[in-house]
Amino acid sequence: MWRHLAVLYPTPGSSWRKFAFVLPVTAMNLMQFVYLLRMWGDLPAFILNMFFFSAIFNALMRTWLVIIKRGQFEEFLDQLGTLFQSILDSTDEWGRGILRRAEREARNLAILNLSASFLDIVGALVSPLFREERAHPFGVALPGVSMTSSPVYEVIYLAQLPTPLLLSMMYMPFVSLFAGLAIFGKAMLQILVHRLGQIGGAEQSEEERLQRLASCIAYHTQVMRYVWELNKLVANIVAVEAIIFGSIICSLLFCLNIITSPTQVISIVMYILTMLYVLFTYYNRANEICLENNRVAEAVYNVPWYEAGTRFRKTLLIFLMQTQHPMEIRVGNVYPMTLAMFQSLLNASYSYFTML
């Protein structure tokens, strides 16, 4: 989808598409900011529109990040393609099966993400029709213009009709991309655990064991470099999103206590669940890499070293020490992205909500 929109891998003939895709949403986000300045006195409306502004700003931030760092993302994806093809071309049928399952999982997750996002935004688009007063799905304003008078109201409403498609293609692909990259990292670690389990046995000579171990060490180095490059690409963006999402969840919980409209209550609950789902997708996938890395260390420890010679034992010991280093994606290069960190983020949001 991003390749077609020239966000990634643009060609001279398609490069204009990314600006046609991003600039209208950027203009709408600026108009939302002007609207927020007008709504300062109405707290429920301000909080709800602050959520929309933050969500669209976050989607823009993700997409602009990929556009600006396109070279790094493309280089990383090319590296992934090389690793993917090497597994596909290997004689390890078990590894190819893991790869196919990972591919199906990533594809199904991407479809689910896009579908859920599309339906979520369609709900936001339809909800103003059930209100007594005139309101746009995404509150926007221009200085000196009455946005609720005809025909301005109708024109703006019609202009916002494509937003489910535009925002879904802008917001969720980054989530799916992150999850897909993490799923592939987990698959590579699973393949490494399987290969380590193949070392040993009376039928293997000392030289064959050393070759298998050296192959596993080289593969582990590739996986470490892959996870390190992934962390370098996403560490800052997930740190900003943790702050944005935590603040949004806290604000929406507070908003639930001061509104009376059933339609708005349903909408806010739906938005909170969306934020929780996106956060959980991030932290759960990153957490799986940490867990699988622990299994690699266990697999190295369980290699039957007592059947091998001194050279093999020394090499295995050095490898075991290397596997003790954490292989993780870190929020802002500070905190590891784990489910424990996800729980801490939710606890912080709830604490700020109770304080409000």
Side-chain angles (χ1 to χ4, degrees), residues 235-264:
N236 293 330
I237 190 73
V238 295
V240 175
E241 290 189 341
I243 297 171
I244 292 176
F245 285 1
S247 304
I248 287 175
I249 292 171
C250 167
S251 302
L252 291 179
L253 285 172
F254 176 70
C255 194
L256 279 176
N257 288 271
I258 57 176
I259 60 173
T260 55
S261 168
T263 305
Q264 286 188 330

Side-chain angles (χ1 to χ4, degrees), residues 23-220:
L23 291 179
V25 182
T26 304
M28 187 177 82
N29 201 228
L30 292 173
M31 293 168 67
Q32 285 182 290
F33 182 73
V34 176
Y35 183 78
L36 282 175
L37 297 179
R38 288 188 180 180
M39 300 300 296
W40 182 252
D42 187 351
L43 190 57
F46 179 82
I47 292 175
L48 196 56
N49 283 281
M50 187 66 190
F51 161 73
F52 288 128
F53 170 79
S54 302
I56 295 175
F57 175 79
N58 187 30
L60 282 168
M61 182 176 61
R62 292 172 175 180
T63 312
W64 277 116
L65 172 79
V66 177
I67 291 173
I68 293 168
K69 300 176 72 172
R70 177 179 61 83
Q72 296 177 45
F73 272 93
E74 290 177 2
E75 183 180 344
F76 181 76
L77 289 171
D78 292 340
Q79 175 189 346
L80 182 149
T82 302
L83 292 169
F84 186 96
Q85 197 61 42
S86 67
I87 299 170
L88 210 58
D89 295 340
S90 70
T91 57
D92 184 4
E93 184 58 38
W94 193 90
R96 290 202 298 270
I98 285 288
L99 194 64
R100 284 191 289 268
R101 285 197 294 273
E103 187 180 6
R104 285 196 299 271
E105 184 181 358
R107 187 184 299 276
N108 292 336
L109 182 66
I111 293 170
L112 173 65
N113 287 345
L114 283 170
S115 303
S117 175
F118 182 82
L119 293 174
D120 199 23
I121 301 170
V122 166
L125 203 66
V126 173
S127 63
L129 300 177
F130 298 94
R131 299 181 195 172
E132 295 179 0
E133 72 283 358
R134 278 188 167 188
H136 291 114
F138 307 100
V140 292
L142 287 170
V145 179
S146 174
M147 307 303 287
T148 56
S149 59
S150 298
V152 176
Y153 173 79
E154 288 80 3
V155 170
I156 295 296
Y157 201 106
L158 290 173
Q160 291 187 358
L161 288 180
T163 51
L165 190 62
L166 283 174
L167 293 179
S168 297
M169 291 191 298
M170 183 177 290
Y171 189 85
M172 278 303 180
F174 189 88
V175 180
S176 302
L177 181 65
F178 177 92
L181 297 176
I183 288 169
F184 182 67
K186 174 190 172 185
M188 287 195 293
L189 290 170
Q190 288 176 327
I191 292 169
L192 179 58
V193 169
H194 176 71
R195 291 180 181 178
L196 286 166
Q198 302 301 306
I199 299 175
E203 71 282 356
Q204 290 181 8
S205 65
E206 181 73 12
E207 192 60 35
E208 184 181 355
R209 289 178 184 177
L210 271 171
Q211 287 178 355
R212 285 175 179 262
L213 181 59
S215 174
C216 288
I217 293 172
Y219 191 69
H220 182 257

Side-chain angles (χ1 to χ4, degrees), residues 2-24:
W2 272 2
R3 183 194 291 268
H4 179 73
L5 293 167
V7 174
L8 290 170
Y9 301 102
T11 62
S14 67
S15 189
W16 61 272
R17 294 178 186 173
K18 61 175 174 281
F19 300 109
F21 173 54
V22 173
L23 291 179

Side-chain angles (χ1 to χ4, degrees), residues 206 209-210 213 304-318:
E206 181 73 12
R209 289 178 184 177
L210 271 171
L213 181 59
W305 53 270
Y306 44 84
E307 298 175 354
T310 304
R311 185 183 173 194
F312 180 90
R313 294 180 185 184
K314 288 181 177 180
T315 307
L316 186 69
L317 183 59
I318 294 171

Side-chain angles (χ1 to χ4, degrees), residues 323-339:
T323 59
Q324 302 306 306
H325 293 288
M327 191 183 296
E328 57 195 13
I329 300 168
R330 302 181 73 86
V331 180
N333 284 317
V334 178
Y335 301 107
M337 288 187 74
T338 61
L339 290 180

